[in-house]
Amino acid sequence: MNIMGILDVVALSVSSLAVRKSRYFQDDINSVSIEEHLQGIKLSIPQLSGEGLYECEAETLVGKLEPAFKVAQWKGNEHPTIIYHHGASEEPFDFSFNKIFPFKKIDIDANLIAIRAPFCKTLKEFLEGVQSLNRYVAMLAVSTKMIEELIKSSQIKKPVVTGISLGGFVTNIHHTFYNTAEYYKPMLAGAEIGEALLNSTYTKMTAPIAQKNSKMISQVLNFSHDFDKTDQSNVYPLLGRYDQVAKLDVQRKGYSEEQLTIINKGHLTGSTSFKVLRQHILKGVI
């Protein structure tokens, strides 16, 4: 295994020991589909009134959830708007966003918005949220729905939806069920969430009961059947050749090979290649 892949294995082995009492899906392995969760959400977002954090409230099939979005930079609605979704368990939620878009140091000629998924105010809250499959799928759906509500805002033109790992999967869910953005730039993700969580190095983070029922859970989480039916002309993905979580041979399925960028990185090293990720997102946008 390449050193990039080894780093993925080591990092997740250490992380799994740290969270062994709060693993994915240990409390509940049942859930309705992503699409059913999307249909069950009632969400309205605040009117954009400049830069800052906007707290939201969503009524969902698992109860009231609290997503948010941060308008980090607003240059005007004549500029493209980049909507970015964080990876799993980022604390703060905009850590990778700030690294990818250091807009106070370099000029980025776009509006910049960071999504905060439900259960992602703190690492503790995230670990509690993912112990239930139903809550996890609701989290994915609420983030997706909030992105759609942002795009429907009259202030946002030329929307670009992007994200890393968890955020990359959300990017593809939005493309699958809405496809209202001008560009999609999913990174280190595809349309097989179940494979990433249950058939990769990340499996160490899931509960034994989830591993024993991986096929059933994957049927809920994988959305490649619907994704494959979509027009891929506005999707520009990025994957890591040595990624041991979002495995190249698994997650590339359904992507247009002509529009796929492959970097010689693993999941960890790819996630921290901030300049490379920024260049990928901005290419063709500004």
Side-chain angles (χ1 to χ4, degrees):
M1 185 184 294
N2 180 280
I3 184 62
M4 307 285 187
I6 292 172
L7 287 172
D8 287 348
V9 174
V10 171
L12 284 165
S13 294
V14 172
S15 295
S16 67
L17 291 174
V19 302
R20 60 188 179 275
K21 293 182 179 180
S22 53
R23 294 186 178 183
Y24 281 68
F25 318 139
Q26 66 182 29
D27 293 343
D28 173 25
I29 59 170
N30 297 294
S31 177
V32 300
S33 68
I34 294 172
E35 186 171 14
E36 287 174 282
H37 268 290
L38 283 170
Q39 293 170 350
I41 293 169
K42 293 182 180 179
L43 169 68
S44 59
I45 63 171
Q47 182 75 16
L48 273 66
S49 58
E51 296 166 356
L53 182 68
Y54 294 76
E55 300 279 357
C56 304
E57 191 173 279
E59 295 290 342
T60 80
L61 299 181
V62 300
K64 189 179 297 183
L65 299 182
E66 298 178 340
F69 63 91
K70 184 179 82 171
V71 180
Q73 173 173 273
W74 189 260
K75 292 204 164 191
N77 58 13
E78 70 276 12
H79 294 266
T81 298
I82 297 171
I83 302 172
Y84 176 89
H85 195 294
H86 57 81
S89 68
E90 280 194 40
E91 189 176 12
F93 75 94
D94 57 353
F95 174 79
S96 62
F97 173 86
N98 290 331
K99 295 292 186 179
I100 294 170
F101 303 109
F103 57 91
K104 293 182 180 179
K105 296 180 180 179
I106 64 174
D107 182 45
I108 300 174
D109 196 23
N111 303 317
L112 301 173
I113 298 178
I115 299 293
R116 189 191 76 203
F119 312 125
C120 292
K121 292 180 183 178
T122 65
L123 176 59
K124 181 177 182 291
E125 186 184 46
F126 178 81
L127 292 174
E128 291 173 351
V130 301
Q131 291 177 40
S132 159
L133 177 62
N134 209 26
R135 291 201 303 269
Y136 181 82
V137 180
M139 175 187 71
L140 296 171
V142 169
S143 283
T144 303
K145 184 71 171 180
M146 186 162 58
I147 290 169
E148 178 61 12
E149 292 302 315
L150 280 167
I151 289 175
K152 285 164 60 177
S153 166
S154 60
Q155 292 141 294
I156 290 181
K157 310 295 183 185
K158 302 177 183 178
V160 180
V161 178
T162 185
I164 190 168
S165 193
L166 170 67
F169 287 113
V170 170
T171 298
N172 282 335
I173 293 171
H174 190 274
H175 172 76
T176 300
F177 295 104
Y178 295 105
N179 196 22
T180 50
E182 185 164 343
Y183 295 107
Y184 290 89
K185 302 282 186 95
M187 301 182 296
L188 304 179
E192 299 277 311
I193 305 177
E195 296 303 305
L197 294 181
L198 294 158
N199 284 303
S200 77
T201 298
Y202 209 87
T203 304
K204 298 180 178 71
M205 303 288 286
T206 63
I209 190 173
Q211 296 172 29
K212 291 177 183 177
N213 293 275
S214 61
K215 185 175 181 181
M216 181 189 78
I217 294 173
S218 291
Q219 286 176 342
V220 174
L221 292 175
N222 294 341
F223 56 97
S224 54
H225 178 72
D226 294 312
F227 183 77
D228 290 348
K229 296 176 184 177
T230 64
D231 176 10
Q232 299 289 311
S233 61
N234 59 345
V235 181
Y236 295 86
L238 178 146
L239 292 171
R241 190 177 304 280
Y242 309 113
D243 195 326
Q244 299 302 301
V245 178
K247 293 182 178 179
L248 178 62
D249 61 337
V250 174
Q251 303 299 341
R252 77 191 303 167
K253 297 173 183 175
Y255 283 147
S256 165
E257 289 293 323
E258 293 77 17
Q259 291 167 201
L260 171 62
T261 296
I262 299 173
I263 59 175
N264 291 322
K265 301 287 184 179
H267 203 76
L268 177 62
T269 51
S271 298
T272 53
S273 296
F274 302 119
K275 183 178 179 180
V276 172
L277 300 180
R278 177 170 67 252
Q279 291 172 339
H280 178 77
I281 294 168
L282 298 182
K283 184 178 180 180
V285 174
I286 60 174

